[in-house]
Amino acid sequence: MLSIVVLISGTGSNLRALLEASADAEYPARVIAVGADREAPGLAHAEEFGIPSFTVPFSSYDSREAWGAALLEQIRVWNPDLVVLSGLMRLLPPNVVEALTPNIINTHPAYLPEFPGAHGVRDAIRAGVEQTGASIIVVDNGVDQGPIIVQERIPVLPGDTEHELHERIKPVERRLLVQTVLDIANGLDLGALSTRRLPATIKE
Ligand code: GRF
């Protein structure tokens, strides 16, 4: 059974999808704890499912490094096989990423490497593209630059607001996340993805 700690900042709809999937005895992964960097509304999902949670408020620490060290300490209490960043709206400091990678994945509401960063949905609308997407990646020390595990295209419709487009992306993110966790539980090697390098030049 793959054990997971999920980290959130917001409404936790991706978290809820994992909690619902875990409720199926045949799903080979379990959320064992949920962490947040603030009093996130999504922590209510953990409570509803009887899953322990912890909050490490970013605002209580002097530096990103100090906050990250406290967060890592909490994560280590649970010794999970996998950490899922699911709407955690904070950049993890390098020492935390290095301690957890490649067993740390992130969901992103765009077709990476297009539109990385905190405003992937807004940036896609502003760029006027006809399609964006959803991606699940391994977290490394870049901003949304880790190896892509899976991604799917989603059309941008004429007149879409950021909220409307995000609401169409999120169900795809949830499906991809639940499938990715299943694949990892079934042996998908995140380490092999992490070390994958494309050749610098392709010779004809
Ligand atoms: C998701 O779109 C995630 O990719 C982004 O923030 C959203 C979180 O949604 N970083 P939720 O908190 O899981 O509902």
Side-chain angles (χ1 to χ4, degrees), residues 152-169:
E152 197 169 304
R153 282 287 185 191
I154 295 152
V156 181
L157 302 180
D160 256 349
T161 63
E162 182 180 353
H163 178 73
E164 286 164 346
L165 179 56
H166 204 172
E167 287 305 304
R168 284 209 319 286
I169 292 172

Side-chain angles (χ1 to χ4, degrees), residues 77-157:
V77 167
W78 299 97
N79 192 27
D81 298 317
L82 180 72
V83 174
V84 175
L85 306 187
S86 190
L88 181 75
M89 299 306 282
R90 297 271 176 210
L91 218 50
L92 292 174
N95 59 323
V96 176
V97 173
E98 277 148 26
L100 299 172
T101 199
N103 299 311
I104 175 165
I105 65 173
N106 188 24
T107 64
H108 185 75
Y111 200 88
L112 292 168
E114 300 168 7
F115 311 116
H119 304 291
V121 182
R122 187 187 307 172
D123 293 344
I125 289 183
R126 286 191 179 158
V129 292
E130 288 179 0
Q131 50 178 4
T132 182
S135 306
I136 314 286
I137 64 169
V138 177
V139 177
D140 70 5
N141 273 325
V143 176
D144 298 325
Q145 286 170 5
I148 294 161
I149 305 170
V150 64
Q151 56 189 168
E152 197 169 304
R153 282 287 185 191
I154 295 152
V156 181
L157 302 180

Side-chain angles (χ1 to χ4, degrees), residues 8-204:
I8 64 168
S9 295
T11 53
S13 63
N14 285 298
L15 161 67
R16 190 174 181 93
L18 276 181
L19 290 168
E20 286 173 354
S22 304
D24 180 344
E26 300 205 346
Y27 190 74
R30 293 287 175 269
V31 178
I32 55 169
V34 177
D37 66 325
R38 62 192 79 178
E39 286 306 322
L43 289 172
H45 299 305
E47 198 178 341
E48 185 185 329
F49 281 77
I51 305 296
S53 64
F54 56 87
T55 304
V56 184
F58 187 81
S59 53
S60 304
Y61 296 85
D62 289 342
S63 67
R64 182 175 305 280
E65 285 64 32
W67 168 74
L71 184 69
L72 186 60
E73 204 177 299
Q74 286 293 318
I75 294 169
R76 283 189 163 143
V77 167
W78 299 97
N79 192 27
D81 298 317
L82 180 72
V83 174
V84 175
L85 306 187
S86 190
L88 181 75
M89 299 306 282
R90 297 271 176 210
L91 218 50
L92 292 174
N95 59 323
V96 176
V97 173
E98 277 148 26
L100 299 172
T101 199
N103 299 311
I104 175 165
I105 65 173
N106 188 24
T107 64
H108 185 75
Y111 200 88
L112 292 168
E114 300 168 7
F115 311 116
H119 304 291
V121 182
R122 187 187 307 172
D123 293 344
I125 289 183
R126 286 191 179 158
V129 292
E130 288 179 0
Q131 50 178 4
T132 182
S135 306
I136 314 286
I137 64 169
V138 177
V139 177
D140 70 5
N141 273 325
V143 176
D144 298 325
Q145 286 170 5
I148 294 161
I149 305 170
V150 64
Q151 56 189 168
E152 197 169 304
R153 282 287 185 191
I154 295 152
V156 181
L157 302 180
D160 256 349
T161 63
E162 182 180 353
H163 178 73
E164 286 164 346
L165 179 56
H166 204 172
E167 287 305 304
R168 284 209 319 286
I169 292 172
K170 281 170 99 174
V172 179
E173 277 189 87
R174 295 199 280 270
R175 175 165 48 75
L176 294 181
L177 178 62
V178 169
Q179 181 62 46
T180 298
V181 168
L182 177 64
D183 291 345
I184 294 169
N186 286 333
L188 175 70
D189 186 353
L190 294 175
L193 282 174
S194 295
T195 53
R196 187 184 59 181
R197 290 282 180 273
L198 296 174
T201 54
I202 299 169
K203 296 196 175 106
E204 306 249 337

